[in-house]
Amino acid sequence: MESHVERRARGLLSSLGQATRVPAGQVFQELGQPLQLSLPVSERRLVLMALDLLAVNTALVAGLWLSSGQSLSWSLLLPHAWRFVLASALWLPLGFTFDVYALGIASRFTTSARAVLRAGFAAWAITWVILYPAFWTGLPLAASAAYLGSTLLLLVAGRGLYVLVLVRPMFNRRALIIGAGRAGREIAHAVLEHENGAYQVAGFVDDDHLKLDHIISTHKNGNSATVLRVLGPRGTLPELIARHRITTLILAVTDRIDGALLQMLMDCLESGVEIVPMPLLYEQLTGRVPIEHVGDNWYVSMPIDHPGTRATRLVVNRVFDVLSAGVGMLFLLAALPVIAAAIYLDCPGPIFYRQKRVGKGGRPFWVYKFRSMVPDAENGKAVWAQKNDPRVTRVGALLRKTHIDEFPQFLNILKGQMSAVGPRPERPEFVEELAASIPFYRVRHAVKPGMAGWGLVKQGYGDSEEDALLKLQYDLYYIKHKSLWLDIIILLKTVVDTIGLRGR
């Protein structure tokens, strides 16, 4: 049975005659459906950041007040203004490092609470282990204890408030996917898998009559399941927009857009309906570029004008590389005698290992590593490293899990062959093989390879062509969005992985 809204929508469309020429926003206005409550992904992250910063700074106020024995006043807080700035500056990178702003995590209270608790403990530990002389000098121990307890309590309370209010359906962006092909199914899967309270997909629009009302995508979440169908052809867009209260159209058409569809999209855009290309939304949700689904719209996802092509960025990146590699070399030299002795005593042979890799511009170079396998492990033939590879020695396994086997690459960075952060360099034999089967593969050579990388912290090491495709999606995302901030987040994530023994 039709709802009241559906009957009014059908009556309005009938009275106006031709449904395909009715602007979607006009239908909304006639029905009195508000569009203002839905929040996009970027605004949701800003809300989460504001809640967290409010929690961190309020906790510091509580710590200073409870430990001072004085009444709460500006005269108590102003001398500590720099501590508020430092606490806020420390929290934001740690928040991104522990994925507290990943909306798929933030939309569920249990996962969100775990993430902010980990980040909160890490921030507190850093103030004690690294920043103690600056942060806590002159303050009683009670201030630190009150700060920790208040921070954790307020962070969790803020996440509970977010889930209670902003994950409700009234704040969702109701979406239709235009195109029920591979690209449409992929973005539907991404939206459902990274369920974040930002988008609620009503179904698909497609002109193929064989797909009408057919199930295109399903997703299980606990005991419930979401089923998405083709709701109608493109000509029914205005009616579907009104019936399902659509605020967003996800354009998953990989071939050229014809004039009729373009005019219809312009009508919707003019009327206030958001139109999002599938590759851009996929990037926001997954941190990857869907290279196999961009079709004729390849330029939407390619890093044509990436920051790595700008002179100022190249200078800043080089300074950052030299400073980070210089610090890394100090640790390497201090630990070298112990590492070298452990490698040799466990499995006699060379301490270091070098291997030819492909760098920026496709130029080959020798990469340096600590040996983690038995000598002559490959017998002259390039072989993918496997999980639980029997060629790896006992000490080598520990070096890989802690990423210490990569430390000699600080020398590659100082020589200018690598960066601290970038796509992991691949072997020439594999590059030729992968470039022949994976589109855009050589684009990853537009920047210097790195010791740490976006693909490495998000996916880990790969051992197959399928893994290489996934890694390339992450690499292209990194190249397209390359920035000093992203580099810092990747390095922090690498440190967390190292401490957690999450290497190969």
Side-chain angles (χ1 to χ4, degrees):
M1 181 179 295
E2 288 186 332
S3 67
H4 174 65
V5 170
E6 291 173 346
R7 288 196 300 272
R8 292 188 63 190
R10 189 174 298 280
L12 174 64
L13 293 170
S14 299
S15 65
L16 291 172
Q18 189 175 1
T20 58
R21 298 296 298 146
V22 178
Q26 180 180 339
V27 176
F28 268 114
Q29 294 168 8
E30 293 290 338
L31 295 175
Q33 300 296 331
L35 299 176
Q36 290 80 10
L37 291 180
S38 56
L39 293 177
V41 171
S42 58
E43 292 180 9
R44 287 174 178 270
R45 288 200 177 104
L46 287 176
V47 170
L48 288 169
M49 291 167 65
L51 288 172
D52 289 352
L53 290 177
L54 179 62
V56 169
N57 286 279
T58 302
L60 187 53
V61 170
L64 294 171
W65 174 51
L66 293 174
S67 63
S68 67
Q70 305 176 30
S71 60
L72 186 61
S73 63
W74 286 113
S75 60
L76 170 65
L77 300 179
L78 285 178
H80 303 284
W82 63 272
R83 285 188 168 92
F84 290 93
V85 175
L86 183 58
S88 300
L90 177 62
W91 172 260
L92 287 178
L94 284 177
F96 280 95
T97 300
F98 286 92
D99 293 324
V100 301
Y101 302 119
L103 297 189
I105 292 175
S107 64
R108 293 182 291 273
F109 178 72
T110 53
T111 57
S112 186
R114 283 197 298 267
V116 294
L117 287 175
R118 287 196 296 267
F121 271 114
W124 179 79
I126 289 174
T127 63
W128 267 90
V129 176
I130 300 176
L131 302 178
Y132 181 83
F135 201 87
W136 295 117
T137 299
L139 293 177
L141 185 62
S144 175
Y147 174 63
L148 174 62
S150 301
T151 298
L152 300 181
L153 179 63
L154 292 172
L155 285 171
V156 172
R159 291 317 173 99
L161 180 64
Y162 175 86
V163 172
L164 184 65
V165 177
L166 291 184
V167 182
R168 296 171 65 88
M170 65 182 298
F171 288 101
N172 292 155
R173 300 183 79 81
R174 296 274 298 171
L176 272 177
I177 300 175
I178 302 178
R182 288 183 58 204
R185 294 193 299 271
E186 188 68 24
I187 191 61
H189 178 73
V191 171
L192 296 173
E193 182 181 17
H194 297 81
E195 185 179 5
N196 54 37
Y199 290 94
Q200 183 178 1
V201 179
F204 297 86
V205 172
D206 199 288
D207 281 344
D208 187 349
H209 69 278
L210 297 177
K211 297 178 181 177
L212 183 61
D213 203 37
H214 281 206
I215 297 175
I216 302 299
S217 180
T218 60
H219 179 74
K220 289 186 177 181
N221 184 14
N223 296 325
S224 62
T226 301
V227 177
L228 300 179
R229 303 173 183 271
V230 173
L231 303 178
R234 298 173 183 176
T236 62
L237 257 180
E239 180 182 357
L240 293 173
I241 286 173
R243 179 186 302 171
H244 297 281
R245 295 171 295 151
I246 299 301
T247 61
T248 301
L249 297 177
I250 302 173
L251 191 59
V253 179
T254 55
D255 53 1
R256 195 173 299 275
I257 298 176
D258 58 70
L261 177 58
L262 180 60
Q263 181 60 56
M264 198 173 300
L265 294 176
M266 290 174 63
D267 288 344
C268 294
L269 188 62
E270 181 183 8
S271 302
V273 177
E274 177 190 39
I275 299 175
V276 183
M278 175 268 185
L280 296 184
L281 181 58
Y282 190 87
E283 285 185 29
Q284 285 187 325
L285 295 173
T286 66
R288 307 196 305 262
V289 172
I291 55 175
E292 68 272 45
H293 298 299
V294 296
D296 291 341
N297 304 312
W298 59 270
Y299 50 85
V300 175
S301 295
M302 287 287 284
I304 297 175
D305 184 30
H306 62 84
T309 61
R310 301 164 194 165
T312 53
R313 174 57 183 162
L314 291 174
V315 173
V316 171
N317 195 68
R318 183 57 184 159
V319 171
F320 181 75
D321 286 343
V322 171
L323 291 177
S324 57
V327 174
M329 285 296 293
L330 295 178
F331 284 101
L332 175 62
L333 293 175
L336 181 59
V338 176
I339 296 173
I343 292 173
Y344 188 82
L345 292 174
D346 180 47
C347 180
I351 304 302
F352 296 98
Y353 176 72
R354 73 171 191 167
Q355 196 175 67
K356 187 171 287 188
R357 299 292 177 98
V358 178
K360 182 178 180 181
R363 293 184 292 271
F365 70 99
W366 291 102
V367 68
Y368 305 109
K369 305 175 71 173
F370 282 121
R371 181 175 60 86
S372 60
M373 292 186 176
V374 297
D376 300 321
E378 292 187 325
N379 293 320
K381 182 181 179 181
V383 179
W384 290 99
Q386 303 292 325
K387 187 176 181 180
N388 300 320
D389 198 314
R391 300 172 297 171
V392 176
T393 64
R394 291 172 298 179
V395 170
L398 179 61
L399 295 178
R400 285 171 168 245
K401 285 185 177 295
T402 56
H403 299 293
I404 292 176
D405 64 319
E406 311 283 0
F407 277 18
Q409 289 164 33
F410 288 126
L411 182 58
N412 289 113
I413 295 176
L414 292 176
K415 292 172 67 175
Q417 299 165 326
M418 294 178 63
S419 285
V421 181
R424 287 294 299 162
E426 197 53 84
R427 303 179 65 174
E429 301 90 337
F430 295 151
V431 168
E432 294 299 324
E433 175 186 337
L434 296 171
S437 57
I438 300 177
F440 312 126
Y441 186 80
R442 290 188 181 275
V443 177
R444 68 196 306 271
H445 300 145
V447 297
K448 289 181 183 179
M451 276 187 67
W454 184 240
L456 187 61
V457 297
K458 299 293 285 186
Q459 176 202 7
Y461 291 92
D463 57 9
S464 66
E465 185 174 317
E466 291 76 16
D467 291 339
L469 173 60
L470 187 60
K471 186 191 298 182
L472 177 62
Q473 292 180 342
Y474 283 118
D475 290 341
L476 292 184
Y477 178 91
Y478 169 77
I479 295 171
K480 186 176 179 181
H481 300 278
K482 184 176 173 62
S483 66
L484 184 60
W485 172 257
L486 183 57
D487 286 353
I488 291 172
I489 298 304
I490 291 172
L491 287 177
L492 288 175
K493 282 181 172 290
T494 303
V495 171
V496 172
D497 286 349
T498 298
I499 295 173
L501 302 179
R502 297 173 187 167
R504 292 172 292 182

